[in-house]
């Protein structure tokens, strides 16, 4: 069968840089950091006391108080981003066949804040009143509930589920949405990811693995991908959403088209619970799979939004993979890690980074990798590559690739390209 073309017609985001996509995009172009002291719990005794938090979010802006109480923060952020994207798409939902609209929405962890709250409450009261849990404990906590809430709010009854693959989760969601549409299983899918894991167990758990930066004296400069002094990632939160649509449907309703999904790739490192393969074997495979799926050559890509978490092993292995896959063309690419500004949004990272790739195509500008200082060079990294350090760069972008790699060895990649009739 002939595969259908899939385009992007709506975008939405709420991130540590802004509560709209416009503000978030402006923040990354200006090279701003979203990091600061943790306000959501008392982190004074933790090794890491800072994070990239969403600021000024009002749950009542997306749901009434009664319904908001049934949602974990990650679901509320997802609903916010989805409402932005659906409005941005310009769809007249009264005229749409909602059985042909689906929701595939990811979270790497789900409602960990709810889990913390309920278990702490139980620990305090178990000896006096016995086990007493909120009846919404399980529905608030499980990672599929953001997808469920979005479908219920809008009455979308097409394919509906969540993907969970750690930090690759929302790229997996985009990949699944893309495939369902091009196989004719849906006309439109609302896809993306959400995460809100800035909690005692979230930060404490990552601290116990020595995964987080502990640069408490300078949170804004803590995420420094590809620098010798990098010491771990900065945890972030937020949500990003894309409306994907079969081309014929988008054209029939006169939709604005941001970009086209070229292809996606998946692979596994099959190596280690948390560390990437030191030679980037899984990263090489996932990028090659995405290029093959898109029917594109390495030299067709102009920009890579890298996984680039600012960890000692991961950054080096990803650079090795890029050089191997792209050869001499690697030196013609722009490469950047927007995690240096947003922090690592875990299961939502792939969605916001895919959106930044789309905006780079749409606006003709590459967001930077911030916090690299002269002389802070790692001998294992080739600085002849253009990491777009510290300042955005104007450039025509016809195609961009976004990498996401997750604990468990999960790798996912998406290629977006300029829409051409």
């Amino acid at each position: 069968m002939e595969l259908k073309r899939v385009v992007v017609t709506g975008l939405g985001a709420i991130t540590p840089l802004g509560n709209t996509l416009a503000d978030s995009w402006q923040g990354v172009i200006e090279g701003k950091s979203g990091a600061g002291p943790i306000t959501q719990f008392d982190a004074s005794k933790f090794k890491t006391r800072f994070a990239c938090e969403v600021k000024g979010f009002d749950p009542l802006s997306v749901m009434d108080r009664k319904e908001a109480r049934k949602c974990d923060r990650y679901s509320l952020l997802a609903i916010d981003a989805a409402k932005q994207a659906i409005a941005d798409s310009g769809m007249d939902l009264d005229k749409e066949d909602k059985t042909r609209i689906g929701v595939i929405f990811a979270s790497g962890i789900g409602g960990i804040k709810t889990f913390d709250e309920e278990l702490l409450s139980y620990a305090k009261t178990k000896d006096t009143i016995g086990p007493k849990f909120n009846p919404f404990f399980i529905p608030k906590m499980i990672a599929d509930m953001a997808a469920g809430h979005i479908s219920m709010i809008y009455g979308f009854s097409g394919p509906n589920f969540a993907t969970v693959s750690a930090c690759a989760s929302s790229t997996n969601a985009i990949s699944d949405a893309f495939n369902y549409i091009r196989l004719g299983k849906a006309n439109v899918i609302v896809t993306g990811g959400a995460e809100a894991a800035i909690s005692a167990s979230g930060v404490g758990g990552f601290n116990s693995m020595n995964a987080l930066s502990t640069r408490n004296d300078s949170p804004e400069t803590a995420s420094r991908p590809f620098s010798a002094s990098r010491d771990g990632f900065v945890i972030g939160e937020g949500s990003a959403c894309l409306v994907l649509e079969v081309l014929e449907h988008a054209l029939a309703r006169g939709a604005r088209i941001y970009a086209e999904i070229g292809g996606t790739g998946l692979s596994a490192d099959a190596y280690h619970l948390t560390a990437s393969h030191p030679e980037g074997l899984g990263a090489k495979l996932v990028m090659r799979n995405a290029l093959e799926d898109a029917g594109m050559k390495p030299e067709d890509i102009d920009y890579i939004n890298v996984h680039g978490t600012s960890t000692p092993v991961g950054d080096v292995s990803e650079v090795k993979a890029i050089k191997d896959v792209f050869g001499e063309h690697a030196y013609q690419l722009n490469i950047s890690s927007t995690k240096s500004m947003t922090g690592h949004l875990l299961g939502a990272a792939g969605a916001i980074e895919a959106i930044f790739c789309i905006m780079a195509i749409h606006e003709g500008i590459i967001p930077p990798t911030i916090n690299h200082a002269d002389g802070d060079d790692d001998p294992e990294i080739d600085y002849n590559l253009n990491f777009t350090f510290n300042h955005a760069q104007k450039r025509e972008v016809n195609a961009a690739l976004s990498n996401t790699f997750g604990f468990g060895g999960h790798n996912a990649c998406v290629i977006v390209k300029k829409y051409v009739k």
Side-chain angles (χ1 to χ4, degrees):
M1 65 179 289
E2 183 179 355
L3 296 175
K4 299 177 183 295
R5 294 172 68 184
V6 180
V7 294
V8 182
T9 58
L11 300 171
I14 176 167
T15 77
L17 297 175
N19 291 8
T20 65
L21 174 57
D23 288 344
S24 299
W25 175 245
Q26 188 64 33
V28 294
I29 292 305
E30 293 178 359
K32 292 182 177 178
S33 170
I38 290 172
T39 66
Q40 295 181 40
F41 70 97
D42 180 4
S44 59
K45 295 182 180 179
F46 283 67
K47 288 194 293 184
T48 296
R49 299 186 290 278
F50 62 93
C52 286
E53 296 181 327
V54 168
K55 289 88 173 170
F57 173 61
D58 179 8
L60 301 185
S61 66
V62 294
M63 301 183 88
D64 65 37
R65 190 177 303 276
K66 180 180 178 182
E67 293 303 310
R69 290 176 63 190
K70 301 175 185 177
C71 295
D72 185 84
R73 183 175 171 89
Y74 96 93
S75 288
L76 291 164
L77 294 172
I79 293 164
D80 188 297
K83 286 190 170 186
Q84 291 182 43
I86 292 165
D88 186 52
S89 75
M91 280 191 293
D92 184 344
L93 297 180
D94 291 333
K95 296 180 179 178
E96 294 292 334
D97 178 358
K98 294 183 181 180
T99 68
R100 299 283 299 169
I101 303 178
V103 182
I104 303 175
F105 222 86
S107 184
I109 298 178
I112 193 170
K113 292 177 73 67
T114 292
F115 188 84
D116 278 12
E117 291 165 3
E118 289 296 317
L119 266 292
L120 288 170
S121 175
Y122 169 67
K124 290 177 181 177
T125 60
K126 63 183 176 65
D127 294 330
T128 55
I129 61 174
K132 184 177 181 181
F133 289 88
N134 187 318
F136 296 106
F137 172 30
I138 300 301
K140 288 174 71 173
M141 180 189 70
I142 52 180
D144 68 309
M145 201 50 67
H149 279 296
I150 294 165
S151 72
M152 288 182 277
I153 289 168
Y154 289 98
F156 299 152
S157 54
N160 184 269
F161 58 91
T163 55
V164 179
S165 50
C167 303
S169 295
S170 54
T171 305
N172 273 113
I174 294 168
S175 180
D176 281 1
F178 169 61
N179 285 317
Y180 271 79
I181 295 171
R182 67 173 172 170
L183 289 170
K185 304 293 186 183
N187 292 337
V188 179
I189 294 185
V190 177
T191 189
E195 206 79 87
I198 301 174
S199 69
S201 61
V203 174
F206 283 121
N207 265 164
S208 71
M209 300 166 61
N210 296 316
L212 297 180
S213 171
T214 57
R215 205 176 297 277
N216 294 298
D217 58 336
S218 183
E220 296 84 0
T221 67
S223 183
R224 48 183 71 187
F226 310 113
S227 295
S229 60
R230 64 192 185 278
D231 71 330
F233 73 84
V234 177
I235 191 170
E237 64 173 357
S239 181
C241 181
L242 303 84
V243 175
L244 303 192
E245 193 165 346
V246 68
L247 177 60
E248 292 83 358
H249 186 271
L251 293 176
R253 68 179 188 86
R256 173 196 47 210
I257 295 174
Y258 282 103
E260 181 172 358
I261 305 293
T264 63
L266 307 174
S267 77
D269 278 9
Y271 170 71
H272 189 272
L273 280 175
T274 57
S276 58
H277 191 284
E279 298 302 316
L281 297 186
K284 295 175 190 178
L285 181 59
V286 77
M287 288 187 280
R288 289 187 173 124
N289 288 344
L291 287 164
E292 181 181 4
D293 188 48
M296 298 172 75
K297 297 175 289 187
E299 52 267 33
D300 294 327
I301 303 298
D302 301 306
Y303 168 51
I304 300 178
N305 189 302
V306 291
H307 188 59
T309 57
S310 189
T311 57
V313 175
D315 288 8
V316 171
S317 63
E318 189 170 11
V319 169
K320 289 179 179 178
I322 289 169
K323 291 179 67 175
D324 189 85
V325 171
F326 288 88
E328 285 303 309
H329 183 64
Y331 299 94
Q332 306 304 314
L333 294 165
N334 272 82
I335 297 165
S336 72
S337 172
T338 49
K339 289 185 180 73
S340 59
M341 297 168 281
T342 65
H344 190 353
L345 271 59
L346 308 176
I352 190 58
E353 289 157 14
I355 287 177
F356 289 154
C357 285
I358 290 166
M359 294 302 293
I361 291 170
H362 197 64
E363 301 290 333
I365 189 166
I366 308 289
T369 305
I370 67 168
N371 295 328
H372 183 71
D374 289 343
D376 192 10
D377 292 350
D378 183 334
E380 293 191 74
I381 290 176
D382 183 352
Y383 292 98
N384 292 311
L385 297 170
N386 183 0
F387 291 103
T388 323
F389 281 135
N390 298 324
H391 302 286
Q393 294 180 13
K394 291 184 178 180
R395 172 177 180 163
E396 182 178 7
V397 181
N398 291 303
L401 178 153
S402 175
N403 279 333
T404 48
F405 312 140
F407 285 175
H410 313 298
N411 306 309
C413 176
V414 60
I415 293 173
V416 292
K417 62 183 183 179
K418 190 171 290 187
Y419 167 66
V420 179
K421 293 182 181 178

